């Protein structure tokens, strides 16, 4: 425009803000990539969670819920339908968190057999590096693994002292609560991402 003075002023101004603009663009781009990677990782984690429940999680829920003296009260709040919204799933998770877990008695030898049969599978799942980012499922695996260790450490489960029985009941209640909570979150994910599998 035949005005070298103003061209130089605008050029210097643009160059001065260039690093800042690059910083903003790279931060936004990095955030978008990070979010995409997190979504992809979550899908992989949920595949592992699905395999866990197929292999042993649902059987463990059945074994523990059969001895839960208050299960009927809990059950009516967890029967999900295709009409459930995010709010319904959140309410179910809240119910699971606030539930009073109590076992009248546990069939410890049968529970030990169930967990021992799946011990190799459990160890393989625990070894999976993508689970490090999923805190709840990692906690669930540790609780189930600890319950398995406690049961396997005792040769005779029919003649345990009362304090041992109470300790194992507490471990079972911890695993049971995490199993149910993770199950509800997994079902919500299936409803949203894979409706044909959810049905």
């Amino acid at each position: 425009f035949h005005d070298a003075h103003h061209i130089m002023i605008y050029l210097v101004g643009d160059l001065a803000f260039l690093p800042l603009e690059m910083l903003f663009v790279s931060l936004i781009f990095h955030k978008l990539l990070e979010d995409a990677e997190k979504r992809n990782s979550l899908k992989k984690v949920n595949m592992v969670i699905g395999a866990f429940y197929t292999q042993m999680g649902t059987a463990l829920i059945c074994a523990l819920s059969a001895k839960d003296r208050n299960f009927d009260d809990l059950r009516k709040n967890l029967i999900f339908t295709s009409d459930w919204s995010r709010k319904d799933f959140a309410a179910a998770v809240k119910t699971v968190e606030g539930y009073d877990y109590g076992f009248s008695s546990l069939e410890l030898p049968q529970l030990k057999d169930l967990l021992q049969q799946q011990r190799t599978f459990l160890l393989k799942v625990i070894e999976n590096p993508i689970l490090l980012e999923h805190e709840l499922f990692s906690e669930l695996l540790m609780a189930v693994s600890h319950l398995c260790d406690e049961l396997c450490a005792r040769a005779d489960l029919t003649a345990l002292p009362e304090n041992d029985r109470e300790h194992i009941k507490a471990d079972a209640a911890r695993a049971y609560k995490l199993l149910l909570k993770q199950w509800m979150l997994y079902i919500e994910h299936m409803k949203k991402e894979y409706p044909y599998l959810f049905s």
Side-chain angles (χ1 to χ4, degrees):
F1 301 106
H2 308 294
D3 189 352
H5 176 69
H6 280 93
I7 290 172
M8 290 307 292
I9 289 172
Y10 283 114
L11 181 63
V12 170
D14 285 346
L15 287 174
F17 282 102
L18 190 61
L20 200 58
E21 289 169 4
M22 286 174 63
L23 177 68
F24 283 137
V25 169
S26 61
L27 285 174
I28 291 166
F29 191 64
H30 177 71
K31 178 73 176 140
L32 289 172
L33 284 175
E34 198 176 71
D35 288 350
E37 191 177 319
K38 199 174 274 187
R39 278 193 304 274
N40 197 26
S41 177
L42 189 61
K43 282 186 178 181
K44 288 178 183 173
V45 168
N46 276 296
M47 285 173 62
V48 176
I49 292 170
F52 169 79
Y53 278 100
T54 301
Q55 187 74 24
M56 67 179 294
T58 49
L60 196 50
I61 288 174
C62 288
L64 293 171
S65 64
K67 297 298 176 183
D68 180 2
R69 60 178 174 260
N70 302 322
F71 183 64
D72 288 337
D73 295 335
L74 177 66
R75 186 177 183 276
K76 62 187 174 195
N77 295 308
L78 301 184
I79 300 174
F80 52 84
T81 67
S82 57
D83 297 331
W84 269 33
S85 65
R86 192 172 197 170
K87 193 176 177 182
D88 294 314
F89 281 105
V93 168
K94 204 168 188 177
T95 300
V96 168
E97 287 174 338
Y99 178 65
D100 180 27
Y101 295 85
F103 300 110
S104 49
S105 64
L106 284 171
E107 301 291 339
L108 297 182
Q110 288 88 333
L111 195 56
K112 179 181 177 179
D113 288 345
L114 172 65
L115 289 168
Q116 260 186 328
Q117 287 169 12
Q118 301 299 334
R119 200 167 194 177
T120 306
F121 171 77
L122 187 60
L123 290 172
K124 284 182 182 177
V125 173
I126 290 170
E127 287 172 359
N128 195 322
I130 65 168
L131 298 179
L132 295 172
E133 295 174 26
H134 202 288
E135 192 177 326
L136 178 64
F137 189 55
S138 297
E139 196 178 334
L140 164 60
L141 293 174
M142 293 307 294
V144 172
S145 179
H146 177 70
L147 178 60
C148 181
D149 292 343
E150 289 289 339
L151 292 170
C152 293
R154 290 160 174 84
D156 186 9
L157 293 169
T158 57
L160 289 176
E162 190 57 32
N163 61 334
D164 273 7
R165 283 179 115 31
E166 289 305 311
H167 178 80
I168 290 173
K169 275 185 186 179
D171 289 338
R174 185 182 311 111
Y176 184 42
K177 177 180 183 176
L178 292 167
L179 278 162
L180 291 172
K181 184 177 177 182
Q182 181 61 72
W183 175 247
M184 296 313 296
L185 294 171
Y186 173 69
I187 291 299
E188 181 183 12
H189 168 78
M190 295 303 281
K191 183 179 186 295
K192 182 182 171 188
E193 298 291 330
Y194 304 101
Y196 63 96
L197 291 175
F198 173 81
S199 69

